[in-house]
Amino acid sequence: MKVLATNIGSKRIIKYRGKNIETGIYKSHIDEGIYLEQEDVKHDDVVDRRFHGGIDKACYLYSSEAYEYWRPLYPDLVWEYGMFGENLTIDGLNEKALKVGDRYKVGEAIIEISQPRQPCFKLGVRMGTQAILKQFINTTYSGSYVRVIESGLVKKGDELILISEASTSPTILDIFETLYQKEIFTSKINKILNCELVPDSAKEDIKKRL
């Protein structure tokens, strides 16, 4: 896996159902790279810390391959990396293979896979239609939040090097499908709820489904 783009954004006011709402989802790539800190990315505006930022959601990764899926569905959009609100656009990111607790060295930083992204209406505003939310949860392209174990600078071209594997943990896709798909497998639920590395917030959302 390799970093194709590093992205940050500033607060922006959007209109939603007649109300002015702040969001940090509008991100653009910057050539000088980004500095990963323990609870967020330096100079990247995090608006609602109930759902973004913090230890378990310090940085968001999304795959470049997913862009190839979305472009034909929305050909009128001007596509550029960072559109899904990701801080790092990654070539080769595979939610089916990423396990919660896997640790990677990337640039100067060490990161740990934590949980999938759960989309909200702000993604719909960014893409110009709320229909994308249902489409998003029906794909395997959730992207992944990470914990930052060691802070550091990450630049375009840096490779993600696996330094420790959480071989018994659920995958990011396991959690994403359990959160949203109609068919829920008991074996997956037990594996997720019994894994100490899965954030409590994700576990609570799964328990609500039950």
Side-chain angles (χ1 to χ4, degrees):
M1 293 187 287
K2 181 181 289 188
V3 177
L4 292 190
T6 54
N7 316 296
I8 60 173
S10 300
K11 291 180 185 177
R12 184 179 295 195
I13 303 295
I14 60 173
K15 282 278 190 182
Y16 182 69
R17 294 181 176 177
K19 295 182 179 180
N20 290 331
I21 297 172
E22 283 189 330
T23 180
I25 197 172
Y26 289 82
K27 302 194 190 301
S28 300
H29 58 271
I30 56 173
D31 294 334
E32 59 268 33
I34 57 175
Y35 192 88
L36 276 53
E37 299 181 327
Q38 287 197 332
E39 294 199 17
D40 51 29
V41 174
K42 192 173 183 178
H43 302 309
D44 183 46
D45 281 347
V46 178
V47 174
D48 192 342
R49 288 189 176 270
R50 293 174 301 166
F51 305 111
H52 305 284
I55 297 296
D56 294 321
K57 296 181 178 180
C59 177
Y60 178 49
L61 282 56
Y62 200 62
S63 76
S64 60
E65 289 81 4
Y67 279 82
E68 301 309 312
Y69 170 84
W70 290 109
R71 281 190 183 101
L73 296 179
Y74 295 94
D76 294 332
L77 291 179
V78 179
W79 286 95
E80 61 179 0
Y81 292 143
M83 287 182 69
F84 285 86
E86 78 272 16
N87 301 111
L88 295 174
T89 313
I90 306 294
D91 178 44
L93 186 81
N94 184 353
E95 290 87 347
K96 298 177 184 178
L98 291 177
K99 291 179 285 295
V100 176
D102 284 351
R103 289 190 178 187
Y104 291 87
K105 174 76 172 175
V106 54
E108 298 175 351
I110 293 177
I111 60 175
E112 181 179 277
I113 302 300
S114 60
Q115 65 187 95
R117 190 248 195 92
Q118 295 173 249
C120 72
F121 72 91
K122 292 179 182 179
L123 177 63
V125 174
R126 175 69 179 90
M127 297 300 179
T129 174
Q130 295 299 319
I132 198 170
L133 300 184
K134 186 174 182 179
Q135 293 172 317
F136 188 96
I137 65 176
N138 285 325
T139 71
T140 60
Y141 301 120
S142 66
S144 179
Y145 284 107
V146 298
R147 305 178 180 103
V148 176
I149 306 303
E150 288 188 15
S151 300
L153 182 68
V154 177
K155 305 187 301 299
K156 178 180 177 180
D158 286 342
E159 293 190 12
L160 279 74
I161 301 169
L162 182 66
I163 57 175
S164 66
E165 182 179 5
S167 57
T168 61
S169 291
T171 67
I172 287 298
L173 186 59
D174 285 338
I175 298 174
F176 192 58
E177 289 182 336
T178 303
L179 283 165
Y180 292 112
Q181 297 307 307
K182 291 181 180 179
E183 190 172 12
I184 303 176
F185 296 94
T186 302
S187 59
K188 281 187 179 181
I189 293 171
N190 290 336
K191 189 173 185 179
I192 293 167
L193 296 183
N194 291 327
C195 180
E196 294 182 355
L197 295 171
V198 174
D200 290 340
S201 59
K203 290 180 180 180
E204 289 303 315
D205 287 339
I206 288 171
K207 288 177 183 177
K208 288 177 186 177
R209 284 208 68 190
L210 301 178

